[in-house]
Amino acid sequence: MLTRFFNLPVPQRRLLMWLFLILLGLGLVLALIPSPDTGEIQLNDKLLHTTAFFAYAALLDMASSKDFWRFQVPILLGYGALIEVLQSFTPWRMFSLLDFVADAVGLMMYWLLFRMILKVKSSA
């Protein structure tokens, strides 16, 4: 049932890619604006990171026919690292290795659920 969403025709994949890029831009803006964060490690923040990167992985996987590990994962991890580096240059945000780990956990959860358990898309 889910496999049809991961084997879309090119025009539909292009639309999903645009949506993916728009959401990446929105995520970058939200990551760099001041937040009411108290500076404590918050479980909710890590859950947001994990959920966002799970969704980014699903959307990129639907929009792209390129290899998950050699193309999609490096792009998403690079995006997560870019956010953390840029946050280190703002006075109201800071670099957090735990945020980056939460991003990677979201990608792994996507891969485990959709690729390994549900097998919605072949690994090739």
Side-chain angles (χ1 to χ4, degrees), residues 30-49:
L30 291 174
L32 296 177
I33 61 175
S35 74
D37 190 68
T38 61
E40 299 172 12
I41 297 175
Q42 297 179 356
L43 180 61
N44 189 32
D45 178 55
K46 303 312 172 231
L47 183 61
L48 287 173
H49 277 266

Side-chain angles (χ1 to χ4, degrees), residues 17 68 70 77 100:
M17 186 60 76
F68 184 74
R70 286 186 280 169
L77 288 179
F100 184 74

